[in-house]
Amino acid sequence: MSLSSVPARLTLLALLSASSFYCFYKSRRLRQLKFSLNPIPYTNPNLSHSKAKIFFVSQTGTSEALARRLFDLLSSNSLSFDLVDPKDYEPEDLPKESLVLIIASTWEDGKPPPNAKFFSSWLSESAEDFRVGSLLLSRCKFAVFGVGSGAYGATFNAVARDYSKQMRALGANEILPVWEGDVDNGDFDEVFEAWSAKVVGLLKVGVLDNGAVLRSETEALAGGVSDAESFGSSDEDEDREGSAEIVDLEDIAGKGPSRKSTVMAESNGKLNGKKEMVTPVIRASLEKQGYKIIGSHSGVKICRWTKSQLRGRGGCYKHSFYGIESHRCMEATPSLACANKCVFCWRHHTNPVGKSWQWKMDDPLEIVNTAIDLHTNMIKQMKGVPGVKLERLMEGLAPRHCALSLVGEPIMYPEINTLVDELHRRRISTFLVTNAQFPEKIEALKPVTQLYVSVDAGTKESLKAIDRPLFGDFWERFIDSLKALKEKQQRTVYRLTLVKGWNIEDIDAYSNLFSIGKPDFVEIKGVTYCGSSATSKLTMENVPWHSDVKAFSETLALRSQGEYEVACEHVHSCCVLLANTEKFKVNGKWFTWIDYEKFHDLVASGKPFDSMDYMAATPSWAVYGAEEGGFDPDQSRYKKERHHKSGR
């Protein structure tokens, strides 16, 4: 063959390429066989390959807690396992494993949590690489339990499903079909218990004495286990099908009714073809926290500042900033559902989640009437409490303010305008907070006394990490919400919650958002630590000091080049207020307070009005830098005597 010809040269090139690829493939294949047939001893002293493994793929700690529950159950049945965090595990050691149980949460956009990023990438790349083949994990048996929320739609339990598919593609033997925990159906806890019991049952008939290696399927069946028991029946698979959109599983960590009651729950949980938002599980959890549930989707709760001002011990920051009477303020919501799962949620995510209204809807008049009745009943219960002043108690029985910010997303309620109208008709002011994911709802909202938008971060990346939104286009919705806020004529507020280590460094990014929404005010508050929770990794280290909040606020005001100045503070709440100088600083004096009676007169008139039409002068004690630090001198300050351990 002459090498001078073009076809000959191309043929030679093809042969050389094929030879090179064969050498690469052979080398790679030998390496895989080395893992499968002649395992190299693992050098990490913290992990032993003599035991089966339980992996927890977790972000907020829920899957880890479940894994520990399973670990304890297996241990009590004399089944020896290692509990493994994937971030501490070398995935190339998977071919050495004989049994792996995986409890996997799905994070944002259907992706795995950070602790399993490398582990997941390795599985995915190996399963898709044709050079790896389908025998790599042939020694390994596995089962996967998914932790997810049906509210995420197509990405619900995506990680667990992917693991199952990828492990099988690599030759692993799945002893149970992937189970998908979903508290949207209200049966999570016992679904997990049923799966755990199934696993234990299989292992007790199919595990060798050392607790590591399952016998073959033939041996297991010879021990009396049917195909349905070993690998899951079709009836059980059908039981797990179906979805709803109300509660995030990462946030409940398993408190559901019996899995066997699913069909009954679906039947009893609906009214006129619509599911009730508040399931028995959610109701029990919220009532335990002091909530009074109204109908099927609303709630009311007495605030600690209401109790404080009933006793003449001071009001909340809204008293200092805007002149509300805390003892006459009702904290409520017409929608317990929310479209975010913020890491600093002080309700520990016991409320439902959803991207649209899909539940039975209660009448707005009924909600208002019941909320006032429940609120006043809670006020009455304060009678006889030491320090409660009779005059304040009588005033408290007639609420004059409503903070529509209790929990969830009030603006999701389809009849929010009718509800606001009813409150105003009773001359009750409205402070409504929205999480900036429903811009069209903001546009359609009637005038409220003060409209808040939560601005929890200044960039797309940090907002995604902090708010954990359900919507894929959350940033676009956020920006559109700020634009909608700009068009409102009544008082508007950006609410910033500072979390050390998460968003306190984003000053420039926050400043850039000012021009989009042009808010009247910017509330800057340090995050409130609410104790340990499976839904949040925050600690006291993430809580800023008041001095930190002040420094942040002063710097942010400077960035505005005079458009905003620090106007007020409430030291007790670790909260500072920036105000628009052009509107609310008149002849060097602040007018951040509200003339509530004038506001109600303006609403009743039906004529257009703006935020400056009902502003009132701010008292000197509430102004930033005042000696009182935002504490009303007409109140009696009370400090608890604290007994700290030495050295703290």
Side-chain angles (χ1 to χ4, degrees):
M1 179 177 61
S2 173
L3 296 180
S4 61
S5 66
V6 172
R9 288 199 298 272
L10 290 175
T11 300
L12 180 60
L13 180 61
L15 288 171
L16 289 172
S17 298
S19 177
S20 298
F21 176 78
Y22 174 75
C23 292
F24 170 81
Y25 174 79
K26 185 175 181 181
S27 172
R28 178 68 179 261
R29 190 64 181 149
L30 285 172
R31 183 167 176 264
Q32 294 156 9
L33 290 174
K34 189 176 183 181
F35 277 128
S36 300
L37 304 177
N38 187 25
I40 299 174
Y42 188 55
T43 57
N44 188 338
N46 297 320
L47 295 175
S48 168
H49 289 284
S50 64
K51 294 182 182 178
K53 302 290 189 294
I54 302 174
F55 290 91
F56 56 86
V57 176
S58 183
Q59 172 67 22
T60 63
T62 301
S63 289
E64 180 178 358
L66 295 176
R68 293 187 184 280
R69 281 172 56 184
L70 178 60
F71 178 83
D72 292 340
L73 176 64
L74 292 165
S75 297
S76 68
N77 282 274
S78 301
L79 297 170
S80 183
F81 277 76
D82 276 331
L83 198 59
V84 181
D85 186 334
K87 70 179 176 57
D88 300 323
Y89 183 82
E90 173 52 65
E92 288 201 352
D93 287 320
L94 268 179
K96 307 173 187 178
E97 305 294 357
S98 53
L99 176 61
V100 168
L101 304 177
I102 304 174
I103 301 175
S105 296
T106 297
W107 196 230
E108 297 154 342
D109 300 330
K111 296 177 182 177
N115 81 314
K117 184 177 180 181
F118 181 70
F119 179 86
S120 301
S121 296
W122 185 91
L123 264 183
S124 176
E125 291 170 6
S126 298
E128 294 173 2
D129 192 336
F130 74 95
R131 297 165 298 182
V132 173
S134 60
L135 298 175
L136 183 64
L137 303 183
S138 58
R139 292 182 54 192
C140 182
K141 292 178 172 61
F142 77 99
V144 182
F145 183 85
V147 179
S149 168
Y152 282 94
T155 62
F156 168 59
N157 271 322
V159 172
R161 296 176 185 178
D162 287 345
Y163 284 171
S164 174
K165 181 180 178 181
Q166 292 157 3
M167 294 281 285
R168 284 186 280 112
L170 292 170
N173 192 335
E174 191 170 38
I175 63 173
L176 279 174
V178 60
W179 281 43
E180 300 183 21
D182 180 4
V183 282
D184 290 353
N185 290 333
D187 61 354
F188 166 64
D189 191 52
E190 295 205 10
V191 168
F192 180 73
E193 288 181 2
W195 178 80
S196 300
K198 199 74 135 175
V199 169
V200 171
L202 286 173
L203 300 188
K204 290 182 77 172
V205 299
V207 179
L208 296 180
D209 292 340
N210 64 2
V213 185
L214 276 175
R215 294 200 300 263
S216 68
E217 288 74 25
T218 303
E219 292 174 307
L221 291 174
V225 183
S226 68
D227 285 326
E229 289 173 328
S230 295
F231 302 105
S233 69
S234 58
D235 289 341
E236 289 168 344
D237 292 340
E238 290 173 1
D239 284 347
R240 292 194 299 275
E241 291 177 359
S243 62
E245 290 95 356
I246 56 172
V247 184
D248 174 44
L249 190 57
E250 268 286 316
D251 303 329
I252 282 289
K255 295 183 190 245
S258 171
R259 180 170 179 264
K260 296 179 181 178
S261 68
T262 300
V263 176
M264 185 185 301
E266 290 179 350
S267 174
N268 294 342
K270 294 182 181 180
L271 189 61
N272 300 327
K274 292 285 187 178
K275 182 178 293 186
E276 292 195 14
M277 181 187 293
V278 181
T279 66
V281 176
I282 297 171
R283 181 181 296 272
S285 179
L286 291 174
E287 287 179 345
K288 185 177 180 180
Q289 299 175 54
Y291 291 81
K292 303 298 181 183
I293 306 303
I294 304 168
S296 65
H297 55 73
S298 307
V300 66
K301 188 175 188 286
I302 191 169
C303 174
R304 76 179 184 93
W305 289 109
T306 299
K307 298 176 183 178
S308 176
Q309 201 156 24
L310 283 172
R311 304 168 82 178
R313 293 181 176 179
C316 74
Y317 71 91
K318 291 193 290 292
H319 174 61
S320 301
F321 295 175
Y322 316 119
I324 74 157
E325 299 171 283
S326 298
H327 65 296
R328 306 186 76 180
C329 181
M330 176 175 68
E331 194 174 19
T333 182
S335 171
L336 290 159
C338 185
N340 289 342
K341 303 181 301 168
C342 304
V343 296
F344 55 76
C345 179
W346 61 308
R347 309 302 182 186
H348 293 311
H349 302 152
T350 45
N351 57 305
V353 292
K355 294 190 287 188
S356 62
W357 190 273
Q358 54 207 308
W359 303 281
K360 176 208 175 218
M361 187 173 66
D362 297 330
D363 179 72
L365 179 59
E366 179 185 344
I367 293 173
V368 172
N369 285 336
T370 307
I372 293 174
D373 287 344
L374 291 172
H375 175 79
T376 53
N377 283 338
M378 288 186 282
I379 294 294
K380 289 176 183 176
Q381 292 171 14
M382 293 294 294
K383 184 178 182 181
V385 172
V388 170
K389 301 178 182 299
L390 182 59
E391 180 185 357
R392 295 288 174 89
L393 185 70
M394 298 308 294
E395 289 176 342
L397 294 175
R400 294 270 61 89
H401 315 282
C402 182
L404 293 166
S405 61
L406 177 63
V407 68
E409 176 59 85
I411 209 168
M412 282 181 70
Y413 176 50
E415 293 293 331
I416 185 63
N417 279 327
T418 306
L419 184 139
V420 166
D421 283 345
E422 181 61 28
L423 288 168
H424 290 167
R425 188 184 68 79
R426 302 173 191 230
R427 299 183 79 81
I428 297 175
S429 68
T430 49
F431 281 57
L432 189 147
V433 180
T434 173
N435 290 316
Q437 290 296 290
F438 297 93
E440 71 285 354
K441 297 285 188 180
I442 295 176
E443 291 173 358
L445 185 67
K446 287 187 175 182
V448 295
T449 312
Q450 190 153 282
L451 177 61
Y452 290 75
V453 166
S454 294
V455 180
D456 298 326
T459 65
K460 181 177 181 179
E461 293 73 22
S462 55
L463 187 70
K464 182 176 183 179
I466 292 172
D467 279 1
R468 299 172 58 195
L470 299 184
F471 286 106
D473 59 343
F474 67 93
W475 183 251
E476 291 75 15
R477 288 175 171 272
F478 174 73
I479 295 299
D480 287 345
S481 293
L482 300 187
K483 292 177 180 177
L485 196 74
K486 184 179 180 180
E487 301 304 315
K488 294 297 177 183
Q489 299 302 307
Q490 291 71 47
R491 294 164 65 107
T492 57
V493 184
Y494 278 7
R495 171 180 280 180
L496 279 61
T497 301
L498 300 187
V499 188
K500 270 188 173 181
W502 289 75
N503 62 3
I504 206 166
E505 292 82 21
D506 294 341
I507 293 180
D508 289 333
Y510 280 119
S511 180
N512 293 335
L513 297 176
F514 280 18
S515 61
I516 300 176
K518 292 285 185 181
D520 290 327
F521 304 98
V522 180
E523 282 183 10
I524 305 169
K525 188 178 186 300
V527 68
T528 300
Y529 178 63
C530 303
S532 59
S533 165
T535 63
S536 176
K537 291 185 176 180
L538 299 187
T539 68
M540 283 300 296
E541 296 296 322
N542 300 112
V543 179
W545 294 97
H546 186 60
S547 57
D548 297 326
V549 175
K550 288 173 63 176
F552 181 95
S553 304
E554 291 170 358
T555 303
L556 193 57
L558 288 173
R559 293 284 200 279
S560 75
Q561 298 181 341
E563 185 176 2
Y564 295 88
E565 291 181 13
V566 185
C568 304
E569 68 178 320
H570 190 249
V571 176
H572 195 145
S573 297
C574 195
C575 192
V576 170
L577 180 71
L578 305 188
N580 182 289
T581 53
E582 183 178 350
K583 291 182 178 180
F584 301 100
K585 196 172 188 180
V586 181
N587 298 323
K589 183 176 177 61
W590 285 112
F591 283 75
T592 67
W593 275 36
I594 296 171
D595 186 332
Y596 293 99
E597 294 307 314
K598 189 171 184 181
F599 168 79
H600 291 302
D601 291 340
L602 290 167
V603 170
S605 72
K607 298 177 181 178
F609 64 97
D610 61 34
S611 57
M612 291 182 287
D613 289 333
Y614 57 102
M615 66 183 187
T618 309
S620 60
W621 55 263
V623 173
Y624 186 67
E627 183 180 352
E628 293 87 350
F631 186 86
D632 188 342
D634 289 338
Q635 302 284 298
S636 299
R637 191 153 195 174
Y638 176 82
K639 293 185 178 181
K640 286 185 178 180
E641 186 177 345
R642 302 185 184 275
H643 301 283
H644 295 296
K645 294 181 180 179
S646 59
R648 296 192 65 181

